[in-house]
């Protein structure tokens, strides 16, 4: 009975996580990004207590947790992150939004990681996309949500709510059409060098 109660608590945290993810997809901003990072951190805590499971072996989570901790304790996210719809730029990719963080901020976040710093550095190098002075973290965020969903389902966490139902419908549709659930997220442009273009975007955003 206690385990069932704990799983219900994990389910409630999961519903909040997917609700915030849906909000971030529909109307992305620095506020929705920060809320989603916080919700992922909170969900991991609930999962450890309620289901004896966690996301620490998921590299996307390790990398995002590093940034979340830095933004939570060291640097105000809203001053440095740019959330940019790509519709008005000559960029080709499989996501419609960029979440751009200055390279030096990500490096600083890794440097302030006290435990498992080398593992965290490797995770950030692998799952974040580095372009000169800019890092795009949105593919890692998207792929972490997929990993979280799969782990919650395997553990038998009860998932409910409109945001979960919408995510599940998309997930099933990908299965039916033999499409991958995760994204590559790499960027290409017909307007010169992608590193220079992203640097220009970051500098031009308020």
């Amino acid at each position: 009975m206690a385990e069932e109660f704990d799983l219900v608590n994990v389910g409630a945290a999961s519903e909040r996580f997917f609700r915030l993810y849906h909000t971030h997809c529909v109307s992305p901003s620095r506020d929705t990004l920060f809320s989603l990072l916080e919700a992922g951190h909170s969900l991991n805590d609930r999962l450890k207590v309620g289901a004896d499971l966690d996301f620490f072996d998921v590299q996307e989570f390790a990398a995002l947790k590093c940034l979340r901790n830095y933004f939570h304790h060291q640097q105000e996210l809203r001053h440095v992150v740019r959330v940019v719809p790509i519709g008005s730029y000559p960029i080709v990719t499989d996501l419609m939004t960029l979440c751009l963080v200055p390279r030096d901020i990500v490096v600083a976040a890794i440097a302030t990681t006290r435990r498992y710093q080398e593992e965290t550095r490797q995770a950030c190098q692998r799952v974040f996309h580095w372009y000169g002075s800019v890092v795009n973290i949105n593919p890692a965020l998207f792929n972490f949500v997929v990993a979280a969903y799969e782990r919650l389902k395997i553990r038998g966490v009860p998932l409910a709510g409109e945001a979960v139902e919408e995510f599940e419908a998309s997930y099933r549709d990908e299965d039916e059409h033999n499409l991958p659930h995760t994204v590559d997220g790499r960027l290409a442009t017909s307007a010169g060098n992608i590193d220079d273009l992203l640097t220009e975007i970051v500098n031009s955003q308020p």
Side-chain angles (χ1 to χ4, degrees):
M1 191 69 177
E3 181 180 357
E4 180 180 345
F5 177 76
D6 288 339
L7 285 180
V8 169
N9 281 337
V10 178
S14 302
E15 182 179 352
R16 177 174 179 270
F17 174 73
F18 281 98
R19 186 170 65 249
L20 290 170
Y21 173 69
H22 180 268
T23 300
H24 181 67
C25 290
V26 172
S27 184
S29 69
R30 284 170 284 194
D31 288 332
T32 63
L33 173 61
F34 185 71
S35 295
L36 184 56
L37 291 176
E38 288 287 329
H41 184 272
S42 177
L43 176 57
N44 187 67
D45 288 343
R46 287 283 190 183
L47 194 60
K48 285 190 294 182
V49 173
D52 192 27
L53 197 64
D54 57 53
F55 298 127
F56 286 123
D57 61 324
V58 178
Q59 286 198 310
E60 286 83 358
F61 176 74
L64 293 167
K65 181 177 183 293
C66 167
L67 277 185
R68 176 267 171 194
N69 290 344
Y70 187 75
F71 292 139
H72 188 82
H73 298 292
Q74 304 286 339
Q75 170 72 57
E76 176 57 54
L77 174 151
R78 294 166 185 83
H79 294 164
V80 295
V81 175
R82 301 291 182 265
V83 178
V84 184
I86 67 168
S88 57
Y89 295 99
I91 294 175
V92 178
T93 185
D94 46 11
L95 291 174
M96 297 305 296
T97 305
L98 308 173
C99 291
L100 303 178
V101 184
R103 182 189 188 97
D104 60 347
I105 294 295
V106 181
V107 171
I110 296 169
T112 58
T113 300
R114 295 182 179 180
R115 298 183 64 189
Y116 308 111
Q117 186 181 85
E118 178 57 24
E119 291 85 348
T120 299
R121 184 191 68 77
Q122 292 178 17
C124 290
Q125 288 290 341
R126 180 177 181 272
V127 303
F128 291 159
H129 293 186
W130 301 69
Y131 299 95
S133 64
V134 177
V135 180
N136 183 26
I137 68 170
N138 208 36
L141 190 63
F142 182 95
N143 289 338
F144 167 60
V145 176
V146 173
Y149 171 76
E150 293 174 341
R151 185 152 298 188
L152 292 166
K153 290 290 287 186
I154 290 172
R155 185 60 180 85
V157 174
L159 300 175
E162 291 183 8
V164 172
E165 292 172 1
E166 186 170 324
F167 184 91
E168 287 183 324
S170 175
Y171 192 94
R172 287 194 301 269
D173 184 69
E174 290 163 352
D175 272 340
E176 292 171 2
H177 293 87
N178 294 316
L179 297 173
H181 298 301
T182 57
V183 298
D184 174 71
R186 295 293 171 186
L187 306 177
T189 181
S190 58
N193 183 282
I194 188 66
D195 296 7
D196 294 340
L197 177 59
L198 293 183
T199 298
E200 180 181 338
I201 290 172
V202 167
N203 291 337
S204 65
Q205 290 289 317

